[in-house]
Amino acid sequence: AGMRFAVEDLRPGMTATDVRHRYVMGVARAAMADSRYQDYSDDWILPAVGAGVGIGVDSERDVGLQEGDLIKFDCGTTVGGYRGDGGRTFVYGRAKPAAKRLFGVLQEAHDRACGAIRPGVEVGDIFRIAQDHITANGYPRFRRGHYGHSLGIDTFHEEPPYVSEGERTPIEEGMVLAIETPAYTTDAGAIMIEDLVHVLPGGIERLHKLPHELGVVS
């Protein structure tokens, strides 16, 4: 709800701070309108607008929204003590070729990683599936320390086991994992594709319902 509200009325020149404020407003409106969220207590967001920005903590330095810019969300809320984590990426107008191509490969890697999750698979195998796909499809120098993490034990949204190369922890039924394939580049901009997934006996249930494609807004 926060992401949808934030991108409903974008205008040239809007900054990551503007996006942050609109996200907070959207979350609050949704929480007040639905009794299921009566235990909502807080939210967080790392937004980014345009190219040449960082992970989101310092992205308020951006020059303002322009045609072809990406708008990245990495965000979540806390309801009843359980903290969520997820992310999507939108483009203002027509996507630049570099952004569209990179997003497509990251989306494929995300889908492949999610499709391999089931009880008994080692967490590190999920990392390798995502990394190998990105490396083999035009980005041989692209590498991350992890492609996700667990959450739900504490009120912080990142916990071990991390979806990292050396992680030998076996996936178990009932786990909730955040699977993410982000990138932060000076040409395409910041990209985040992240879902919470609930591990079932034969696969997963995706807990985030927003579409995964690069959402076009204007």
Side-chain angles (χ1 to χ4, degrees), residues 65-88:
L65 186 62
Q66 302 176 48
E67 175 74 17
D69 276 351
L70 298 183
I71 305 102
K72 183 270 293 184
F73 292 87
D74 185 4
C75 52
T77 63
T78 306
V79 179
Y82 288 94
R83 198 168 203 196
D85 186 7
R88 292 291 188 272

Side-chain angles (χ1 to χ4, degrees), residues 51 74 131 142 145 147 157 165 177 210:
D74 185 4
Q131 183 63 64
F142 185 101
Y147 287 105
H157 56 276
E165 186 169 23
L177 301 171
L210 283 179

Side-chain angles (χ1 to χ4, degrees), residues 132-210:
D132 289 352
H133 182 80
I134 296 168
T135 300
N137 284 274
Y139 300 95
R141 297 176 62 186
F142 185 101
R143 193 163 189 85
R144 280 181 53 81
H146 71 81
Y147 287 105
H149 50 84
S150 181
L151 78 173
I153 297 173
D154 200 351
T155 54
F156 185 56
H157 56 276
E158 290 194 9
E159 301 169 357
Y162 287 86
V163 184
S164 56
E165 186 169 23
E167 181 58 64
R168 301 297 303 274
T169 300
I171 295 171
E172 298 180 29
E173 181 182 350
M175 277 184 170
V176 175
L177 301 171
I179 303 300
E180 58 182 328
T181 49
Y184 307 96
T185 72
T186 56
D187 55 350
I191 294 173
M192 174 60 77
I193 306 166
E194 183 174 20
D195 275 338
L196 291 184
V197 301
H198 174 214
V199 181
L200 303 176
I204 60 168
E205 172 193 12
R206 293 182 191 250
L207 301 182
H208 284 89
K209 306 305 182 185
L210 283 179

Side-chain angles (χ1 to χ4, degrees), residues 4 58 60-61 83 99 106 136 177 190 198:
R4 284 196 298 263
D58 61 351
E60 287 77 3
R61 302 174 190 167
R83 198 168 203 196
L106 294 174
L177 301 171
H198 174 214

